[in-house]
Amino acid sequence: MLAAFISRVLRRVAQKSARRVLVASRNSSNDATFEIEKCDLHLLEEGPPVTTVLTRAEGLKYYRMMLTVRRMELKADQLYKQKFIRGFCHLCDGQEACCVGLEAGINPSDHLITSYRAHGMCYTRGLSVRSILTELTGRRGGCAKGKGGSMHMYTKNFYGGNGIVGAQGPLAEAFNMAALWKLPCVFICENNLYAMGTSADRAAASTDYYKRGNFIPGLKVDGMDVLCVREATKFAADYCRSGKGPILMELQTYRYHGHSMSDPGVSYRTREEIQEVRSKRDPIMILQDRMVNSKLATVEELKEIGTEVKKEIDDAAQFATSDPEPRLEELGHHVYSSDSSFEVRGANPWIKFKSVS
């Protein structure tokens, strides 16, 4: 379905800009300057820039990453329906500009704490598609050895997929403490406009979440534009690193799937609304249009990336469905990241497991 969608979009771009594409294939640009949407500000005199430079290398990287996250989530949807994935599973397709833009605006050494719907951030933080899909299927080759599943994935400097709703806030330091101690925390609200089954407008008298920190400065950011997210994240990170204390970012985005796999996502919103966002504000389409029209890439190059990504996802899914499940004796392993071996009690005092770090 996604391949057909991308093919239609690329054909439409090619038909509208055939002459420009032909020129681009002969004389590609190395960078281009783009206008981005101005962020709304709270307790700030100035915000992120309203123009930014995108290099060809960056554009191709962001495009590949967003397309990989999109197709990985659609593959997870397929595996769930085939019953290879069980339990809770929250997909983030539609929100790809958030995870890719955030990673582009911070350093690998920065620490990221998040909640569920974190598959995209797992990937942008450095986990492979294979390790993510294999974790979703509960196999030994998963990033958490098949024990974490969709809601509990981790890697270096990434503490993600916390299954307790809202728990990532206290884990990352509460607003009050962060403001009192001027801690370098960037609090992020990925506002995809819907809770489990209720729109933000129906649940909150004020939907200006970037102001919810009250005494903490805030930004409202176009979360469907990877460049806007990147520049806002750089601004927020620099603000914190300068010793000014915490800042809050609201990324206005949209999820294409329901809240979880048990939610069809169309009882509280219309299919027409979802299609409207897909056709006019899709984050991947926004980036690819920019790249083609500015001659940073050709339609053919983007198609080739799509082919490579599809193969990577298919290979990862094949491994994720054939890798063995964890052995029972490994149930107590990895309680701590580094510690000497010790015994863990099982379901009763007579069952013992050994914990190995």
Side-chain angles (χ1 to χ4, degrees):
M1 180 178 177
L2 177 64
F5 169 70
I6 292 176
S7 179
R8 288 197 303 272
V9 170
L10 292 176
R11 279 201 304 271
R12 190 163 64 245
V13 171
Q15 290 166 358
K16 292 182 178 180
S17 309
R19 186 165 175 266
R20 286 198 298 265
V21 170
L22 182 59
V23 172
S25 67
R26 297 200 310 264
N27 185 25
S28 298
S29 302
N30 289 320
D31 61 63
T33 301
F34 298 101
E35 292 184 356
I36 55 177
E37 186 173 329
K38 184 179 180 180
C39 296
D40 292 340
L41 308 180
H42 174 61
L43 299 180
L44 290 167
E45 293 183 359
E46 60 179 3
V50 293
T51 63
T52 186
V53 175
L54 177 69
T55 67
R56 168 178 159 80
E58 289 170 341
L60 292 174
K61 177 183 178 181
Y62 301 161
Y63 181 81
R64 181 183 292 272
M65 292 179 77
M66 288 201 292
L67 192 58
T68 299
V69 173
R70 173 72 56 86
R71 286 189 165 168
M72 179 176 70
E73 295 295 71
L74 293 180
K75 180 60 70 172
D77 172 89
Q78 178 185 341
L79 294 175
Y80 195 97
K81 290 170 180 174
Q82 293 173 338
K83 301 190 183 304
F84 284 110
I85 298 174
R86 306 257 182 175
F88 291 106
C89 185
H90 305 82
L91 304 181
C92 69
D93 49 315
Q95 302 181 201
E96 295 86 357
C98 294
C99 57
V100 175
L102 284 170
E103 189 62 34
I106 61 176
N107 300 325
S109 58
D110 291 330
H111 298 270
L112 182 61
I113 303 173
T114 187
S115 181
Y116 51 78
R117 208 179 309 283
H119 306 160
M121 290 186 182
C122 293
Y123 175 71
T124 57
R125 281 266 89 181
L127 289 173
S128 67
V129 174
R130 173 182 283 201
S131 71
I132 295 170
L133 287 181
T134 307
E135 185 60 36
L136 294 182
T137 59
R139 310 302 176 100
R140 293 169 63 184
C143 59
K145 311 299 181 185
K147 301 175 186 176
S150 172
M151 300 178 77
H152 303 93
M153 297 191 196
Y154 310 92
T155 188
K156 186 176 181 180
N157 298 331
F158 176 69
Y159 318 92
N162 193 301
I164 304 173
V165 177
Q168 71 275 21
L171 284 174
E173 295 293 343
F175 283 6
N176 184 58
M177 293 172 66
L180 278 174
W181 297 342
K182 291 191 178 298
L183 299 179
C185 293
V186 180
F187 294 99
I188 298 167
C189 168
E190 281 188 273
N191 180 10
N192 59 28
L193 307 184
Y194 291 95
M196 188 176 293
T198 307
S199 67
D201 290 336
R202 292 181 60 197
S206 171
T207 57
D208 288 334
Y209 297 110
Y210 69 107
K211 297 180 180 178
R212 289 290 185 91
N214 191 11
F215 40 78
I216 296 177
L219 299 167
K220 182 193 283 187
V221 184
D222 181 2
M224 301 300 273
D225 181 353
V226 67
L227 299 184
C228 197
V229 176
R230 182 187 71 175
E231 294 307 311
T233 303
K234 286 180 180 179
F235 175 89
D238 289 344
Y239 181 94
C240 289
R241 297 188 211 281
S242 67
K244 296 177 181 177
I247 192 169
L248 172 62
M249 286 205 307
E250 176 188 345
L251 307 181
Q252 285 213 324
T253 183
Y254 196 85
R255 58 171 167 81
Y256 291 159
H257 267 84
H259 171 73
S260 67
M261 291 303 297
S262 61
D263 169 24
V266 292
S267 60
Y268 47 84
R269 59 181 181 176
T270 64
R271 296 182 188 275
E272 290 74 21
E273 177 188 302
I274 301 170
Q275 187 55 40
E276 177 84 0
V277 177
R278 283 183 177 274
S279 62
K280 294 183 178 179
R281 298 186 58 233
D282 183 82
I284 298 176
M285 184 175 68
I286 290 171
L287 179 61
Q288 70 188 19
D289 284 351
R290 279 176 167 164
M291 293 181 67
V292 171
N293 293 335
S294 63
K295 304 177 185 177
L296 290 178
T298 65
V299 171
E300 289 72 21
E301 285 178 304
L302 300 184
K303 281 185 177 179
E304 185 176 349
I305 289 175
T307 301
E308 294 169 356
V309 168
K310 182 179 184 302
K311 184 179 187 308
E312 179 185 7
I313 301 298
D314 289 343
D315 290 347
Q318 176 61 35
F319 180 84
T321 55
S322 59
D323 193 46
E325 295 180 350
R327 295 190 298 267
L328 181 61
E329 56 267 27
E330 296 176 5
L331 187 64
H333 288 190
H334 311 115
V335 174
Y336 297 101
S337 62
S338 58
D339 207 344
S340 55
S341 300
F342 61 94
E343 283 192 339
V344 179
R345 201 186 90 171
N348 61 60
W350 299 277
I351 296 178
K352 301 285 185 180
F353 297 100
K354 178 173 285 190
S355 176
V356 178
S357 298

